[in-house]
């Protein structure tokens, strides 16, 4: 990642507010209310809006400001200036409000209609603008122009949870959406996937069932954004094709550390077409440059309370700080045979994967997210994805889940966005000319010319004309239908295997990851009321791994059933584990605990080293404001928890703050052990981070504090050094592993 992204100068660190993310507006406000008229402020440097294209896909060349409000004076929707927007028009100052108050009615009516129906699924989302640069390596399998060498394509990416409402929390255990809109020169291509490569169901006709089961119970509308309830487990224990996806969700993949540290998958098998018309089957993968990392379950629970916006804040802050998230797009490719299988795996079954050891993921381009949206509703909320938005070189297959999605998405957009012209909303406008002959309808913003929106025609000169494959027209790949095929409501026999793939996934995990799976199943099932549902799920787990089943059964206080038959003989796939590799520390958050009056040099050194490493350092002190030499405090002992940070270091021994008593802050209710005079909230901060296997450390003189928090110097991942720069280097080296995994011993039942 380019080091020059961050706009800071190591020679002058005093203007910290220009270097760290989080400022809400491009200018600092004055203490008094402004009274001198001025034009609207521009977006912050990290923000941008949709490209300025016409409703029919023509580049206008206009500045993005033309899409925003303009003028220094308040107006109504028609541009008439308003002298007052605080008082309704009344018959006397104490009289009744008059019906003729058109401004009141316009303002209230618009407010009443500000919300549109939220998405049925993926309602809670965050997004960013970026660019995709093709490597050219896909030319042997696809003629898609945006995959060409050096071709840069604007993109808009939306991440989301599946089950929760728009007001739910970010770090729930759930599948995450990973949807990318490529504004290519050949039309819009949408790659609409998840952070889990398989899905709960094999056929789209079951989609309403799985979502109805996962959503809150219809009688009480609880639990929100959770799968820890009876209806979910009732469905997945009866519908065992959901087992593979459920196991991924119960693993650490269900609670990612960040959108920036999350894989993405196209889920389905697609058909790629090269310039010569030859076809190849393929699966799409997004590989994050920062690696794939997750939260612990306790971290996720704490975050949901103290910062339910954790993931969207993390994404926006990283982009604002210049630590641009990056993913490589890769493809697994397979011969396009009539059977559409590979090494015994049915490629049309979306509940199965092909291990990367069998078919390596080949990088074909780089995605960089480099700008935040300027308006959440206009962009993140109104963006409309659709798996049927394809470009020449990429086609669909007969995956029955994909077939239903090709219908469902456009139907959903018409309902949510008020009609069939949702493609004309700025964030959805193609960056290629549009001449679709579609007319009228609600929210039609194009002003079409001509009198003949049909073809063939002569009145409009025959326009528009067709484009064949030689003119880069999108031509569906002709695929033979098996001779003698009958209309049936059936699935192929290969779809019946519901155990071998989840068993491979479980066996591919390290012992500590398996412990997390056991804990997740135990927690989730313990929230179910009906014992029959728990027992039925244990029968499913017995066919995956008897050890997993026995541990979960023990946690539930139930007997462990025997497998229903011989266990599948599978080889593990090491690529499925998140543990064991080293990754960049770009964008990682370092908490620096200062004592307010102590060693400012250590604070400055640690902070500058973090900035130079493209990390985000946050100074934590007893109270807000500034330390000596103008170093700003971003967090206080009262308003932070360890879950905000990837690592924590002590730059001093802070005495108890003025608010360190239980009535003011319950975290400070207990004093220090053995008469140690430091703020008890610092001990909680350190012990919590240590419990979550994070790197902790301190400069000379802080060892006693670390020890009092249970972070003993001889423990894995605890670093002490008299030189602050050396301390940082050691912390950063350990942080490349994401966690100090040696601090998580495994139980006797997990190997």
């Amino acid at each position: 990642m380019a080091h020059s992204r961050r706009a800071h100068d190591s020679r002058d660190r005093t203007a910290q507010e220009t270097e760290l993310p989080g400022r809400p507006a491009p200018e600092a406000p004055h203490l008094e209310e402004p009274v001198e008229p001025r034009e609207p402020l521009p977006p912050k440097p990290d923000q941008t809006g949709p490209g300025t294209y016409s409703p029919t896909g023509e580049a206008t060349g206009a500045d993005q400001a033309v899409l925003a409000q303009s003028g220094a004076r308040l107006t109504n929707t028609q541009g008439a200036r308003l002298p007052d927007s605080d008082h309704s028009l009344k018959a006397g100052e104490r009289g009744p409000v008059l019906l003729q108050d058109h401004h009141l009615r316009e303002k209230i009516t618009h407010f009443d209609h500000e919300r549109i129906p939220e998405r049925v699924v993926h309602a809670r989302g965050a997004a960013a603008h970026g660019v995709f640069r093709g490597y050219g390596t896909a030319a042997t399998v696809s003629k898609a122009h945006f995959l060409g060498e050096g071709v840069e394509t604007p993109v808009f990416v939306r991440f989301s949870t599946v089950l929760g409402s728009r007001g739910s929390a970010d770090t729930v255990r759930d599948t995450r959406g990973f949807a990318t809109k490529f504004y290519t020169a050949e039309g819009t291509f949408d790659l609409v996937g998840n952070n889990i490569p398989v899905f709960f169901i094999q056929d789209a006709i079951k989609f309403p069932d799985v979502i109805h089961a996962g959503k809150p119970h219809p009688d009480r509308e609880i639990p929100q954004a959770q799968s820890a309830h009876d209806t979910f487990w009732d469905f997945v224990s009866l519908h065992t094709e959901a087992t593979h996806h459920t196991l991924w969700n119960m693993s650490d993949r269900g609670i990612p550390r960040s959108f920036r540290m999350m894989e993405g998958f196209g889920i389905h098998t697609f058909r790629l077409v090269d310039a010569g018309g030859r076809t190849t089957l393929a699966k799409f993968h997004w590989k994050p440059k920062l690696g794939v990392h997750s939260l612990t379950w306790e971290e996720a629970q704490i975050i949901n309370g103290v910062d339910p916006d954790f993931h969207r804040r993390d994404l926006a802050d990283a982009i604002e700080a210049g630590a641009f998230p990056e993913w490589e797009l890769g493809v697994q490719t397979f011969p396009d045979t009539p059977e559409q299988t590979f090494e015994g795996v049915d490629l049309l079954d979306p509940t199965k994967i092909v291990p990367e050891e069998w078919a390596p993921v080949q990088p074909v381009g780089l995605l960089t997210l480099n700008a935040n949206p300027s308006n959440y509703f206009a962009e993140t909320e109104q963006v409309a994805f659709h798996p049927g938005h394809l470009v020449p070189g990429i086609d669909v297959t007969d995956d029955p889940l994909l077939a239903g999605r090709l219908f469902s998405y456009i139907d959903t957009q018409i309902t949510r966005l008020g009609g069939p012209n949702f493609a004309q909303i700025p964030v959805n406008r193609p960056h290629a000319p549009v001449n679709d002959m579609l007319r009228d309808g609600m929210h039609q913003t194009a002003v079409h010319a001509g009198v003949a929106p049909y073809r063939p025609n002569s009145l409009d000169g025959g326009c528009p004309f067709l484009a064949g494959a030689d003119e880069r027209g999108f031509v569906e790949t002709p695929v033979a239908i098996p001779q003698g095929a009958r209309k049936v409501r059936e699935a192929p026999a290969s779809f019946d295997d519901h155990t071998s793939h989840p068993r491979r996934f479980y066996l591919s995990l390290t012992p500590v990851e398996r412990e997390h799976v056991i804990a997740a199943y135990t927690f989730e099932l313990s929230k179910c009321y009906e014992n029959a549902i728990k027992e039925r799920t244990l029968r499913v787990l017995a066919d995956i791994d008897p050890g997993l089943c026995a541990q979960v059964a023990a946690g539930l206080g139930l007997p462990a059933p025997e497998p229903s038959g011989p266990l599948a003989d599978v080889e593990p796939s090491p690529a499925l584990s998140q543990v064991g590799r080293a990754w960049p520390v770009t964008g990682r958050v370092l908490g620096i605990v200062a004592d307010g009056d102590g060693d400012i040099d250590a604070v400055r050194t640690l902070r500058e080293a973090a900035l130079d490493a493209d990390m985000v350092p946050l100074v934590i002190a007893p109270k807000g404001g500034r330390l000596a030499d103008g170093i700003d405090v971003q967090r206080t002992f009262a308003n932070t928890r360890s879950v905000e940070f990837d690592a924590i270091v002590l730059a001093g021994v802070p005495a108890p703050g003025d608010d360190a008593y239980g009535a003011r802050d319950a975290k400070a209710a207990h004093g220090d052990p053995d008469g140690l005079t430091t703020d008890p909230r610092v001990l909680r901060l350190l012990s919590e981070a240590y419990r979550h296997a994070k790197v902790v450390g301190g400069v000379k003189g802080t060892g006693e504090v670390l020890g009092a928090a249970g972070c003993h110097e001889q423990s894995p991942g605890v670093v002490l050094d008299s030189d602050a720069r050396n301390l940082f280097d050691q912390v950063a080296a350990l942080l490349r592993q994401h966690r100090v995994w040696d601090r998580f011993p495994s139980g006797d039942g997990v190997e």
Side-chain angles (χ1 to χ4, degrees):
M1 186 167 290
H3 178 71
S4 60
R5 286 180 182 158
R6 187 184 295 278
H8 69 261
D9 186 336
S10 60
R11 296 168 298 179
D12 180 11
R13 304 288 190 179
T14 58
Q16 178 166 338
E17 61 271 24
T18 65
E19 299 165 347
L20 295 178
R23 167 163 287 189
E27 294 181 9
H30 297 289
L31 181 60
E32 304 298 334
E33 179 183 355
V35 295
E36 187 68 27
R38 61 175 296 175
E39 291 289 320
L41 294 176
K44 295 197 301 179
D46 63 288
Q47 296 175 327
T48 189
T52 50
Y53 286 76
S54 76
T56 52
E58 294 287 349
T60 65
D63 188 276
Q64 286 190 339
V66 303
L67 298 177
Q69 294 188 331
S70 61
R73 303 290 184 177
L74 179 67
T75 74
N76 65 13
T77 59
Q78 305 305 309
R81 292 185 175 186
L82 298 170
D84 189 310
S85 192
D86 295 331
H87 305 95
S88 300
L89 191 65
K90 298 186 287 289
E93 62 182 22
R94 297 177 60 81
V97 174
L98 300 179
L99 183 62
Q100 74 179 66
D101 189 348
H102 55 86
H103 176 46
L104 167 68
R105 286 187 286 120
E106 180 183 78
K107 187 174 180 180
I108 293 296
T109 299
H110 194 282
F111 171 78
D112 290 344
H113 295 82
E114 280 182 0
R115 294 295 173 264
I116 62 176
E118 68 175 32
R119 290 166 167 86
V120 177
V121 289
H122 299 278
R124 172 100 180 155
H129 295 274
V131 63
F132 178 83
R133 181 172 57 83
Y135 292 162
T137 51
T140 57
V141 292
S142 177
K143 62 183 178 182
H145 178 260
F146 78 97
L147 296 175
E149 184 176 3
V151 175
E152 293 194 350
T153 302
V155 299
F156 189 74
V157 180
R158 187 179 188 272
F159 305 101
S160 57
T161 53
V162 171
L163 292 178
S165 67
R166 273 191 61 186
S168 58
D170 277 352
T171 60
V172 294
R173 184 180 293 282
D174 196 1
T175 307
R176 265 69 182 180
F178 192 133
T180 307
K181 185 175 290 291
F182 297 82
Y183 302 98
T184 87
E186 298 179 303
T188 300
F189 170 56
D190 288 347
L191 183 55
V192 194
N194 290 332
N195 73 321
I196 291 176
V198 292
F199 206 63
F200 284 108
I201 53 176
Q202 296 168 323
D203 192 305
I205 201 169
K206 296 296 296 180
F207 192 74
D209 300 305
V210 67
I211 298 304
H212 288 166
K215 285 286 190 177
H217 291 197
D219 54 349
R220 300 187 180 188
E221 186 62 13
I222 57 174
Q224 178 59 245
Q226 299 179 58
S227 53
H229 56 90
D230 287 76
T231 60
F232 174 83
W233 288 99
D234 183 40
F235 177 82
V236 299
S237 62
L238 290 169
H239 201 66
T240 54
E241 69 190 51
T243 303
H244 195 189
H245 187 115
T246 304
L247 188 58
W248 277 73
N249 238 348
M250 295 302 107
S251 78
D252 292 339
R253 305 282 187 139
I255 42 175
R257 158 64 180 82
S258 165
F259 293 139
R260 300 178 292 125
M261 303 166 195
M262 189 175 83
E263 277 185 301
F265 303 91
I267 303 172
H268 311 286
T269 299
F270 290 82
R271 178 172 279 108
L272 304 182
V273 185
D274 69 10
R278 294 174 292 272
T279 61
T280 304
L281 300 182
K283 287 182 176 289
F284 289 107
H285 296 246
W286 289 112
K287 297 287 187 181
K289 286 286 194 176
L290 296 180
V292 185
H293 308 295
S294 297
L295 298 166
T296 66
W297 181 228
E298 187 186 40
E299 280 182 298
Q301 291 174 301
I302 294 171
I303 291 169
N304 282 339
V306 301
D307 186 7
D309 305 308
F310 183 77
H311 279 154
R312 58 172 63 184
R313 189 189 314 280
D314 173 270
L315 177 67
D317 282 357
I319 292 172
E320 185 178 355
F324 299 148
E326 292 183 326
W327 291 260
E328 276 194 316
L329 179 63
V331 292
Q332 285 181 298
T333 59
F334 322 100
D336 189 358
T337 62
E339 297 78 19
Q340 298 179 91
T341 62
F342 183 80
E343 300 292 339
V345 177
D346 192 325
L347 298 175
L348 299 186
D349 184 347
T351 68
K352 296 180 173 63
I353 65 169
V354 176
E356 293 183 29
E357 291 78 13
W358 300 1
V361 176
Q362 305 167 65
V364 297
L366 180 69
L367 167 67
T368 303
L369 297 183
N370 54 21
N372 288 309
S374 58
N375 184 279
Y376 182 91
F377 177 81
E379 300 171 79
T380 308
E381 185 63 15
Q382 290 198 121
V383 66
F385 296 96
H386 178 28
H389 292 165
L390 302 165
V391 292
I394 303 175
D395 205 347
V396 299
T397 57
D398 293 329
D399 177 337
L401 176 62
L402 178 56
R405 294 180 74 197
L406 293 173
F407 167 80
S408 177
Y409 277 71
I410 194 166
D411 191 47
T412 296
Q413 312 305 354
I414 290 173
T415 297
R416 286 193 67 244
L417 300 173
N421 292 309
F422 59 84
Q424 295 183 19
I425 295 171
V427 72
N428 296 322
R429 291 178 181 176
H431 292 196
V434 174
N435 194 345
D436 53 19
M437 294 195 303
L438 303 178
R439 294 292 188 270
D440 307 336
M442 192 172 290
H443 302 151
Q444 174 62 260
T445 58
V447 182
H448 293 98
V451 297
Y454 53 84
R455 66 169 317 280
N457 76 74
S458 63
L459 293 178
D460 282 345
C463 186
F465 299 89
L466 301 178
D470 58 334
E471 297 171 298
R472 306 201 66 80
F474 182 85
V475 179
E476 284 82 0
T477 305
V479 178
I481 297 175
Q483 189 172 7
R486 300 174 297 117
K487 289 192 296 185
V488 294
R489 292 189 183 273
E490 296 176 5
S494 57
F495 278 41
D496 293 340
D497 174 13
H498 301 163
T499 58
S500 67
H501 282 248
R503 177 165 169 78
R504 174 182 288 109
F505 176 71
Y506 185 72
L507 295 180
S508 301
L509 303 180
T510 60
V512 66
E513 292 172 298
R514 294 188 199 178
E515 291 283 7
H516 294 167
V517 171
I518 292 168
Y521 269 102
T522 305
F523 175 88
E524 297 266 321
L525 290 168
S526 72
K527 295 291 186 177
C528 292
Y529 183 87
E530 299 290 351
N531 267 343
I533 292 173
K534 302 175 188 178
E535 293 168 359
R536 191 189 309 135
T537 303
L538 290 173
R539 291 194 310 205
V540 175
L541 294 182
D543 288 338
I544 304 305
D545 185 82
L548 167 63
C549 179
Q551 293 293 318
V552 175
L556 297 174
L558 295 171
E562 295 295 322
S564 62
L567 297 175
D569 184 14
V570 296
E571 288 294 322
S573 170
L576 297 176
S577 171
Q578 296 181 204
V579 178
R581 284 164 283 179
W583 304 96
V585 296
T586 306
R588 293 287 188 160
V589 182
L590 176 68
I592 304 171
V593 180
D595 62 9
D597 302 314
D599 187 358
I600 299 302
D601 288 339
V603 175
R604 183 185 300 104
T605 298
L606 289 165
R607 184 176 166 278
E608 291 182 357
L611 288 169
D612 287 338
D614 278 341
M615 293 173 63
V616 178
L618 299 179
V619 176
I620 314 163
K623 60 183 179 181
R626 285 189 171 182
L627 305 177
D629 293 340
I631 296 179
D632 285 349
V633 174
Q634 284 82 39
R635 299 291 186 271
T636 67
F637 300 157
N639 75 3
T640 194
R641 293 290 292 266
S642 68
V643 292
E644 285 196 83
F645 311 105
D646 294 294
I648 298 175
V649 293
L650 293 176
V653 181
D658 295 339
D659 59 347
Y661 54 93
R664 182 72 65 83
D665 186 353
K667 298 193 300 298
H670 301 289
D672 298 332
D674 302 324
L676 185 66
T677 55
T678 192
D679 196 299
R681 293 167 295 183
V682 172
L683 300 182
R684 182 183 296 272
L685 195 71
L686 292 168
S687 63
E688 201 170 71
Y690 183 86
R691 187 167 72 246
H692 298 149
K694 293 179 179 179
V695 183
V696 295
V699 297
K700 185 178 181 181
T702 61
E704 188 177 4
V705 177
L706 288 166
C711 312
H712 301 289
E713 185 175 358
Q714 64 271 24
S715 301
V718 179
V719 183
L720 278 169
D721 201 297
S722 58
D723 183 276
R725 179 69 212 206
N726 290 340
L727 171 66
F728 173 81
D729 290 342
Q730 295 175 69
V731 168
L734 288 166
L735 192 53
R736 296 186 67 215
Q737 312 297 322
H738 180 57
R739 294 191 192 276
V740 185
W741 295 108
D742 292 345
R743 214 182 287 159
F744 276 153
S746 298
D748 296 336
V750 176
E751 298 179 356

